Amino acid sequence: MAIEQSVWLPALIGAGAALGTNVGERVLARVFDGYARQEAQRDYDVELIEKVTFEIRDLATTYWCTAGQDQQLEGSIVGRLTFVASLIDGLYKGHLDELRTMQMHMNRFDQACTSDDFGSVDRISNAGMCRDIETTAYNLVHTAMSSRRKMTTLRRIFNHTR
């Protein structure tokens, strides 16, 4: 008993379409899973920038409210500033406008924390520095969040930006 072409050809086309759809769904799922993982990592990096920035703010305000040299506190401040700067460079490296903006805010925050007679043995307390430290810390964190929103992968794909 021979199967007519009018029966097996549509069946073959239907099976091929089902198989193609299944493969296409798997490929798209992998692509979107990759984007989701990348977005989650970026979100984590921004949260880490926020957390460490506020640690620095707390350390720096404590530092500037007391006189004299405190090498441990100085080291903690400088080390964390370096860490946040490297996080920023890594997170925004493919997004030049956001990277420049973040580096500008990071430099302002660094300057607020380590200017004047930072590290000097005869340093006097300077509570006035605390205002600049607070302001620049919040500006840095706000800019990190704002810049992060601008670099969402799917938005870039669908808007064809950069």
Side-chain angles (χ1 to χ4, degrees):
M1 177 153 125
I3 301 177
E4 293 185 29
Q5 182 177 356
S6 62
V7 174
W8 65 267
L9 187 58
L12 185 61
I13 291 171
L19 182 62
T21 300
N22 189 6
V23 169
E25 286 175 350
R26 286 184 184 180
V27 168
L28 283 175
R30 282 189 180 176
V31 167
F32 284 109
D33 284 347
Y35 288 139
R37 279 193 303 276
Q38 183 181 33
E39 294 299 308
Q41 182 62 49
R42 288 175 173 169
D43 289 339
Y44 174 77
D45 287 349
V46 170
E47 289 172 12
L48 192 55
I49 289 170
E50 177 182 11
K51 177 183 179 252
V52 178
T53 296
F54 289 135
E55 286 176 7
I56 297 166
R57 176 206 58 192
D58 294 343
L59 293 169
T61 54
T62 298
Y63 177 83
W64 285 106
C65 286
T66 59
Q69 189 175 31
D70 186 335
Q71 291 179 340
Q72 181 178 0
L73 208 48
E74 291 165 8
S76 294
I77 292 166
V78 171
R80 283 175 173 85
L81 285 167
T82 303
F83 176 68
V84 170
S86 69
L87 277 175
I88 288 169
D89 288 345
L91 177 60
Y92 298 100
K93 68 182 170 194
H95 309 273
L96 193 55
D97 290 341
E98 285 79 20
L99 178 60
R100 286 182 186 143
T101 300
M102 287 300 300
Q103 287 174 335
M104 179 186 67
H105 282 278
M106 182 64 207
N107 288 338
R108 288 178 183 163
F109 182 54
D110 187 320
Q111 185 69 23
C113 294
T114 62
S115 65
D116 204 33
D117 57 353
F118 183 84
S120 173
V121 176
D122 57 348
R123 180 182 59 82
I124 60 171
S125 67
N126 186 346
M129 299 270 301
C130 296
R131 182 183 59 84
D132 288 340
I133 292 167
E134 289 283 339
T135 303
T136 57
Y138 278 97
N139 283 333
L140 176 63
V141 169
H142 178 265
T143 303
M145 292 175 179
S146 177
S147 294
R148 169 64 185 97
R149 286 188 296 271
K150 291 177 185 175
M151 61 186 269
T152 300
T153 303
L154 293 178
R155 178 184 293 162
R156 287 182 54 223
I157 289 170
F158 293 122
N159 289 338
H160 306 290
T161 58
R162 283 186 232 157

